[in-house]
């Protein structure tokens, strides 16, 4: 299992967090998602083969921007 952190921009509330969490949790191999609009931090736990580009695309699908921290 691996943990990867991202910086997400554009989140302003708990609803934003929920949107990101829902989209990222659908990425194959993702087992746990922690997200905070206050810090802009997204932490993804999952298998070693989680596609980083897919995680970023999922954040973008939720309407925000992300980069690997």
């Amino acid at each position: 299992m691996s943990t990867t952190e991202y910086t997400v921009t554009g989140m302003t509330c708990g609803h934003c967090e929920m949107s990101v969490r829902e989209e990222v949790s659908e990425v194959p191999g993702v087992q746990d998602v922690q997200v905070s609009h206050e810090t802009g931090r997204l932490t993804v736990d999952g298998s070693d083969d989680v596609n980083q580009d897919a995680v970023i695309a999922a954040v973008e699908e939720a309407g925000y921007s992300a980069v690997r921290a």
Side-chain angles (χ1 to χ4, degrees):
M1 186 155 94
S2 66
T3 299
T4 308
E5 293 192 353
Y6 301 84
T7 300
V8 179
T9 56
M11 296 186 300
T12 60
C13 65
H15 184 266
C16 299
E17 292 175 2
M18 184 174 52
S19 296
V20 170
R21 187 178 301 112
E22 286 177 359
E23 291 293 336
V24 172
S25 65
E26 293 180 13
V27 173
V30 170
Q31 296 173 348
D32 186 49
V33 178
Q34 300 296 319
V35 61
S36 170
H37 73 278
E38 294 170 340
T39 63
R41 184 69 59 177
L42 167 65
T43 304
V44 178
D45 294 323
S47 59
D48 291 333
D49 62 347
V50 171
N51 185 319
Q52 307 301 318
D53 292 333
V55 171
I56 291 172
V59 172
E60 291 172 351
E61 180 69 25
Y64 308 98
S65 298
V67 294
R68 190 167 177 187

